Amino acid sequence: MSNTRAFPLIGIYGGTFDPVHHGHLRVAEEVSENLNLDHLYFLPAGQPRLRDLPPAANQHRRVMLRRAIRSNARFFLDDRELRRTGETRSVESLREIRSNVEKNGKKRICFIVGADAFLKLPQWYCWQELFELCHIVIVNRPGNVLIRYAADLPSVLRSECEDRWADTARGLSESLSGRVYVAQTSLLAISSTSIRAAIQAGKSVRYLLPDNVISYIIRRKIYAGGE
């Protein structure tokens, strides 16, 4: 057994959440449970650097997320990127979060990203600095390349991650930052893109996302030519 002290873990779950759906929520629940996270913060991107601007306005995505997570005492919303002007850069948010964590206690940060986003990591702004700020937890997504081993990665990323892999939550909590962990989660074939398309086509999206989020989308006519 390791004699290294283990510290509590907190999760930072990045994405556009446009809209948030049960696939996102189930991933958050399973990662929180499997890693025994103290808290998990949803961090919606304001103006993503490597993808199109989200169709829903920032204020709507903020409200939808708050509605979706309000019954879970472990889930919180971090809306700093929605409030920030200009292009969203994850490293800037994680610098701020790391600074706050260091002021308020010794916890380890787990930055949760989809496998598709992780494969593009070398395109991110100051991407190698991320390993100095947090651990990276990869969640596989239906319909995308599954990451199981280092061999699944492009060469530059494989080289960077060569000595960083962690097999257990303990491996994350014992290290300050820089570890990479592949989380085992349910692969629910739900996507925000298909939900938006269904809404635009006038089809039901019941059971794909929380009812209180659906009611907000319908009332505000989001994704259907409304606000």
Side-chain angles (χ1 to χ4, degrees), residues 31 34-35 137-140 181-185:
V31 171
N34 294 343
L35 295 182
V137 174
I138 306 166
V139 291
N140 287 310
Y181 178 86
V182 180
Q184 301 301 313
T185 61

Side-chain angles (χ1 to χ4, degrees), residues 123-181:
Q123 301 175 42
W124 292 27
Y125 178 77
C126 293
W127 69 281
Q128 290 170 310
E129 186 182 343
L130 293 173
F131 296 106
E132 301 173 17
L133 300 171
C134 61
H135 300 305
I136 296 180
V137 174
I138 306 166
V139 291
N140 287 310
R141 293 182 59 186
N144 289 274
V145 175
L146 298 182
I147 295 178
R148 297 187 181 91
Y149 311 105
D152 297 326
L153 303 179
S155 58
V156 64
L157 196 52
R158 183 168 64 249
S159 176
E160 181 63 44
C161 297
E162 184 176 5
D163 299 318
R164 298 187 182 280
W165 298 97
D167 295 323
T168 64
R170 180 96 187 177
L172 301 177
S173 61
E174 289 180 347
S175 302
L176 180 60
S177 63
R179 305 302 297 273
V180 179
Y181 178 86

Side-chain angles (χ1 to χ4, degrees), residues 7-13 35 37 39 41 43 78 80 90 93-102 105-112 130-137 172-173 175-181:
F7 291 90
L9 300 173
I10 60 171
I12 307 295
Y13 189 6
L35 295 182
L37 299 180
H39 304 291
Y41 296 85
L43 181 69
D78 185 331
R80 73 183 67 218
S90 297
S93 297
L94 287 163
R95 287 170 186 160
E96 296 170 356
I97 293 167
R98 175 65 178 271
S99 177
N100 290 336
V101 166
E102 289 175 344
K106 294 182 178 179
K107 295 185 179 182
R108 306 316 193 207
I109 301 168
C110 296
F111 186 42
I112 304 162
L130 293 173
F131 296 106
E132 301 173 17
L133 300 171
C134 61
H135 300 305
I136 296 180
V137 174
L172 301 177
S173 61
S175 302
L176 180 60
S177 63
R179 305 302 297 273
V180 179
Y181 178 86

